[in-house]
Amino acid sequence: MTHQSAHMGLVGLAVMGQNLVLNLADHGYTVSVYNRTTSKVDDFLAGPAQGTTVIGTHSLNDLVASLERPRKVLLMVKAGTAVDGIIETLLELLEPGDIVIDGGNSNFADTIRRTAEVEAAGLLYVGMGVSGGEEGARTGPSLMPGGSADAWPLLKDMLQSIAAKTEDGTPTADWVGADGAGHYVKMVHNGIEYGDMQVLAEAYDLLRRGIGLDYSTLGDVFEEWNTGVLDSFLVEITADIMRTADDDGTPLLELILDTAGQKGTGKWTAISALDLGMPMTLVAEAVFARIVSAFKDQRTGASAVLPGPGSPTPAVSSFISDVGAAVYASKIVSYAQGFLLLRAAADEYGWDLDYGRIAGLWREGCIIRARFLDDITQAFASEPELPSLLEAPFFTEAISSAQGAWRRVVMQAIEWGIPAPAYSSALAFYDSYRTERLPANLLQAQRDYFGAHTYERVDRPRGEHFHTNWTGTGGDVTAGSYDA
């Protein structure tokens, strides 16, 4: 090989790493690769990378030596201590101005810390969210880089060339913001993905158990939905899943155990929402739904002893339409909550986030790509300081049109005893958000009664706090309070 000939170095040859390398090679970039299990390097060169310009190396020293300057090293390894270990070694091998890029699903807090550490050594650090799965990595992912801003001009052409493109040719790769912003945006993307999957799972449950649709018909329903406002990657693949049969003709879904796994990004989203005082209720319910699904043995036992209601059957065609509306309305709420969280995180961590541009990054190449992300992009383009997507005229009208059906579906689910936590939590948030006066005044009175936590008054300016000696023995001493 030619010394210092590669445009990029990649560490980690699992399927995502391999596919990104092949994608880069397709676009004219020479990539050097390294994997801790070096036989994977040899197998990759003899297999998928055969006949390409990919360079194999058997050590990080050799990888670094093969790179043109400023060196660019992309890590596609498991999040956590493995990333720290590789960074520690690279800091001894790289020079000021070189770039380390973490393309894994790292926690944004780790990325904030790593950016500071790498920059202190004179290097540049990028935490990059990568979405689209194996296919996206190979043919065009959505890329969400953040970190050291000076790195972006050196990476822009390369990353935008391999990213997916929207219909107007815009690449779904753009700079997100400082330190952990890229990984935070990817985390919220994944949280929204949990929610999108849950609203479709609830649709499946209501249409299958509720009105007894067969799998062929369910495939037709999801295919039809995919031609309208619900047009999206997840609806498209759900239609395919409904129509897939096992070798003996049994619908494959009937044979798949109903316990869902998770890798943690949905949980991280819910935890961050709690930390920042933001109501990501639908995503939280989606995470909890997966956790409840894992209680398989307990649920099997409970199903034999815990009674439920009867199941009156509504008109099939109207109920299918109602469920589609419930999916749409719940998705709108979930995305509205997601952008509320992004705005809170920007304030907390000092990031200058462009919410319309973020929605644009999700329009193609990623798991949550969907038609209505165009509408979100336009909403923020029209009003960059939009307080909530629910208040954008397009979405206000959409929710107004859907809410009657949405409410009917939630009521029907309750009547049948079929859980619909995503629909019901989204509806509860919507009703709370549009309510001028909530019963939180009672909560504050209770907190002041038993804990002297004080309250504000409607007839006095915000920021003034009052305490009532409710029992006559409480006195005037008050306690502090955490305000979300």
Side-chain angles (χ1 to χ4, degrees), residues 1 5-11 13 17-18 20-26 28-34 44-45 49 52-57 63 66-67 72-74 158 162:
M1 72 182 184
S5 61
H7 301 101
M8 169 83 81
L10 181 134
V11 180
L13 286 174
Q18 289 193 18
L20 282 173
V21 169
L22 296 174
N23 190 349
L24 283 160
D26 286 346
Y29 295 100
T30 300
V31 185
S32 288
V33 299
Y34 166 74
F44 181 53
L45 290 178
T52 70
T53 58
V54 176
I55 299 169
T57 67
L63 181 86
S66 72
L67 301 176
K72 308 167 188 70
V73 181
L74 172 59
M158 186 184 304
I162 68 169

Side-chain angles (χ1 to χ4, degrees), residues 79-310:
T81 56
V83 177
D84 288 314
I86 294 170
I87 290 173
E88 186 178 349
T89 303
L90 286 174
L91 289 182
E92 298 174 358
L93 301 173
L94 297 174
E95 297 176 333
D98 290 346
I99 306 168
V100 179
I101 309 150
D102 175 14
N105 263 336
S106 290
N107 188 294
F108 76 95
D110 287 337
T111 305
I112 292 174
R113 169 179 58 80
R114 290 166 182 154
T115 302
E117 292 171 355
V118 172
E119 287 182 345
L123 282 71
L124 303 174
Y125 191 74
V126 174
M128 181 171 70
V130 180
S131 183
E134 300 169 16
E135 179 187 353
R138 184 67 185 87
T139 62
S142 171
L143 302 174
M144 296 155 258
S148 307
D150 289 346
W152 181 235
L154 303 171
L155 298 173
K156 180 178 179 180
D157 289 348
M158 186 184 304
L159 296 181
Q160 290 191 338
S161 71
I162 68 169
K165 309 296 186 295
T166 61
E167 285 188 1
D168 62 5
T170 304
T172 56
D174 208 343
W175 191 249
V176 175
D179 50 61
H183 274 141
Y184 194 93
V185 167
K186 174 58 172 17
M187 179 193 76
V188 174
H189 163 283
N190 282 26
I192 290 173
E193 179 185 313
Y194 274 57
D196 278 0
M197 294 169 73
Q198 180 64 26
V199 298
L200 296 179
E202 291 177 17
Y204 157 61
D205 202 15
L206 286 164
L207 296 177
R208 176 72 181 147
R209 279 206 292 155
I211 58 175
L213 295 189
D214 60 47
Y215 283 93
S216 175
T217 305
L218 283 167
D220 293 342
V221 169
F222 282 95
E223 183 177 51
E224 174 64 26
W225 285 353
N226 199 47
T227 64
V229 294
L230 293 176
D231 173 12
S232 65
F233 172 71
L234 284 170
V235 171
E236 177 186 330
I237 69 169
T238 301
D240 288 344
I241 290 167
M242 294 297 163
R243 291 169 171 154
T244 300
D246 199 37
D247 293 341
D248 65 356
T250 304
L252 188 55
L253 268 178
E254 289 289 300
L255 301 175
I256 296 176
L257 187 67
D258 55 317
T259 59
Q262 53 184 317
K263 285 195 170 182
T265 44
K267 179 180 72 174
W268 293 350
T269 305
I271 290 171
S272 181
L274 289 168
D275 287 341
L276 297 176
M278 287 292 111
M280 285 288 284
T281 58
L282 191 149
V283 169
E285 289 291 355
V287 173
F288 285 130
R290 294 193 187 194
I291 293 170
V292 172
S293 79
F295 284 33
K296 179 62 177 177
D297 292 342
Q298 295 97 314
R299 290 189 291 110
T300 298
S303 68
V305 297
L306 297 180

